[in-house]
Amino acid sequence: MTLRLEIEDAVATLTIDRPAKRNAMSFEMWSAIPGLLDEVAADEAVAALVIRGTDHFSAGADISEFATLRADAAGAQRYGAAVAAGERAIAGLPKPTIAAITGVCVGGGCEIALACDLRVAARDARFGITPAKLGIVYNFTSTKQLVDVVGPAWARQILFTAEILDAGTALRIGLVNELTEDPVARARELAATMATRAQVSVRGAKTIITRITEGGHEDDEVRALYARSVRSADYAEGVAAFLEKRPPRF
């Protein structure tokens, strides 16, 4: 298996483990993501997910499959559907997701990283989205995620030029949240911190932020998130801890 899911305490780690191909994503790997993410969603002990590579995060799609699985229009559409399903599974996970980026993060690798809530990267990481080198139109969902993160002007430059960006540029334009010497350690630290917070708050915030980026407005369902939170055990513990001047135990 070229994707490896491990759970330690409250943090799940999904490792892209295909170093001989610079962690390029195959059709089989894209197709496996939804099932693996279902496991993370169903495990109540897991509060956050870290996605990482080995030496590289991911060089993108496995180009060797372009001559086989993507050789004609029907194959390309089937392949694109698998990529979209994997991306949706990451973006739709109700728990926080953090991409720990080392080495190259290109094409499909960037799609995976952009589907995560946060991105922390090594100082020598490199980024690019290169469909303009392949004659492919980047799909709507992935383009929207890029625009949401870096804005339309930089999204245009990234997609029109297919140039590779260095980590400093990625930080400056908001493509990554932080640069660090050890992205995996920092991602796990962030995930562990999130695990100590009120999960009703964290997951509610993720839901509302997603609604906002999708152009939604406050409605009964959003208001219900607040109503449920103030009736939750997390709220009772948070108030008690505040009054007793102690750290909360969520």
Side-chain angles (χ1 to χ4, degrees):
M1 183 62 162
T2 48
L3 291 174
R4 188 173 72 252
L5 180 64
E6 299 166 299
I7 296 172
E8 183 178 350
D9 298 324
V11 178
T13 301
L14 180 63
T15 302
I16 307 169
D17 188 5
R18 201 185 181 199
K21 289 272 193 175
R22 295 204 302 175
N23 292 331
M25 294 289 294
S26 68
F27 178 82
E28 180 185 18
M29 293 164 71
W30 285 113
S31 300
I33 289 176
L36 292 168
L37 272 287
D38 284 345
E39 290 183 40
V40 175
D43 191 337
E44 286 301 320
V46 173
L49 171 69
V50 172
I51 301 181
R52 58 166 295 184
T54 49
D55 47 348
H56 296 284
F57 186 77
S58 174
D62 185 347
I63 298 299
S64 69
E65 294 185 336
F66 276 58
T68 56
L69 299 179
R70 302 174 77 163
D72 56 23
Q77 287 186 323
R78 187 164 55 250
Y79 203 104
V83 173
E87 183 183 19
R88 283 196 305 271
I90 297 167
L93 187 73
K95 304 172 183 183
T97 52
I98 307 166
I101 301 165
T102 53
V104 297
C105 179
V106 175
C110 248
E111 285 187 82
I112 291 171
L114 284 164
C116 292
D117 298 307
L118 282 72
R119 287 156 294 282
V120 295
R123 300 183 192 281
D124 60 354
R126 290 165 288 151
F127 303 82
I129 302 175
T130 57
K133 292 182 177 180
L134 297 167
I136 299 170
V137 174
Y138 205 45
N139 72 63
F140 181 89
T141 302
S142 299
T143 302
K144 182 183 183 303
Q145 286 177 332
L146 178 64
V147 172
D148 287 342
V149 169
V150 304
W154 266 103
R156 291 186 183 101
Q157 182 163 335
I158 289 167
L159 292 175
F160 293 0
T161 67
E163 290 181 340
I164 302 300
L165 306 180
D166 60 32
T169 301
L171 179 66
R172 178 167 58 84
I173 67 176
L175 185 58
V176 298
N177 296 72
E178 299 181 15
L179 299 182
T180 177
E181 297 303 320
D182 190 338
V184 174
R186 177 56 177 154
R188 287 177 173 160
E189 179 185 31
L190 286 166
T193 298
M194 294 171 190
T196 68
R197 305 309 188 209
Q199 293 305 295
V200 69
S201 302
V202 172
R203 296 181 194 183
K206 177 162 182 170
T207 298
I208 291 173
I209 291 167
T210 299
R211 287 288 193 89
I212 291 168
T213 60
E214 291 176 349
H217 300 280
E218 187 176 26
D219 56 18
D220 289 343
E221 187 175 346
V222 170
R223 285 186 285 271
L225 290 172
Y226 176 80
R228 284 196 296 272
S229 73
V230 297
R231 294 194 298 268
S232 70
D234 279 355
Y235 178 74
E237 168 60 13
V239 171
F242 178 80
L243 294 174
E244 295 166 16
K245 297 182 172 57
R246 60 171 175 82
R249 295 183 292 270
F250 296 117

